[in-house]
Amino acid sequence: MYLVYLIKQIIMHSILKNILAILLGFIIGSIVNMLVINMGHSIFPIAGIDINNLEVLSKIMPTLDFNYFIFPFLAHALGTLVGAFVAYSISDINKTTSALAIGIIFLLGGITANYLITGPIWFTITDLLLAYIPMAWIGKKIAQSVSKK
């Protein structure tokens, strides 16, 4: 009877730890994302518009040069990578699942962002295909290699 109780406690502890890992991965990844976005706006400011107004931003995006899309892509990619690294590092069981969950969560955010702020199709395709799931996988691989040392 005590053994069953002990096993349940261990499993519950692991589940809570995984939930916390995903939550912290999301929060830290989001912070990285916003820091890189803000850095991009300071390096490549879009003159005369309020970048917090999605309607105005959506209208101007298709007219912008390539350099205005470097930091949004880096923000999405680095935020996902760092978030997946954190989730994998903290998780107790199903470490890969935790890291890939970050990729899926950020992918859903990327789909929403690309829907709300319509940009060039080349950016949407590149962003959705390369910035989320592949970066979560790379974040997982980096965390794996760090944890083996």
Side-chain angles (χ1 to χ4, degrees):
M1 194 70 144
Y2 179 73
L3 183 60
V4 171
Y5 172 77
L6 188 60
I7 291 171
K8 284 182 182 179
Q9 292 297 80
I10 291 169
I11 291 171
M12 188 57 114
H13 173 71
S14 294
I15 291 170
L16 291 175
K17 193 170 182 181
N18 284 2
I19 291 170
L20 180 63
I22 292 169
L23 184 61
L24 283 174
F26 174 71
I27 291 169
I28 293 171
S30 296
I31 291 169
V32 168
N33 183 317
M34 289 312 300
L35 288 172
V36 175
I37 288 286
N38 288 334
M39 185 187 323
H41 286 306
S42 66
I43 294 172
F44 297 114
I46 304 172
I49 71 157
D50 176 14
I51 60 169
N52 296 315
N53 185 331
L54 293 182
E55 189 175 312
V56 172
L57 196 56
S58 188
K59 287 180 184 175
I60 196 82
M61 289 300 264
T63 67
L64 296 176
D65 293 333
F66 173 81
N67 56 331
Y68 287 95
F69 296 95
I70 294 169
F71 280 93
F73 178 79
L74 285 175
H76 301 164
L78 293 175
T80 304
L81 184 130
V82 170
F85 177 89
V86 168
Y88 185 93
S89 298
I90 296 173
S91 289
D92 200 13
I93 54 173
N94 297 324
K95 290 174 157 298
T96 299
T97 303
S98 295
L100 292 178
I102 294 296
I104 292 168
I105 292 167
F106 275 83
L107 175 61
L108 293 172
I111 291 168
T112 303
N114 278 290
Y115 176 76
L116 293 174
I117 308 169
T118 309
I121 192 73
W122 67 263
F123 176 75
T124 300
I125 291 169
T126 303
D127 189 52
L128 296 179
L129 290 179
L130 299 178
Y132 303 105
I133 302 302
M135 288 298 134
W137 187 259
I138 292 169
K140 169 199 109 70
K141 293 302 246 181
I142 294 169
Q144 265 181 333
S145 68
V146 167
S147 68
K148 288 180 182 177
K149 292 180 180 180

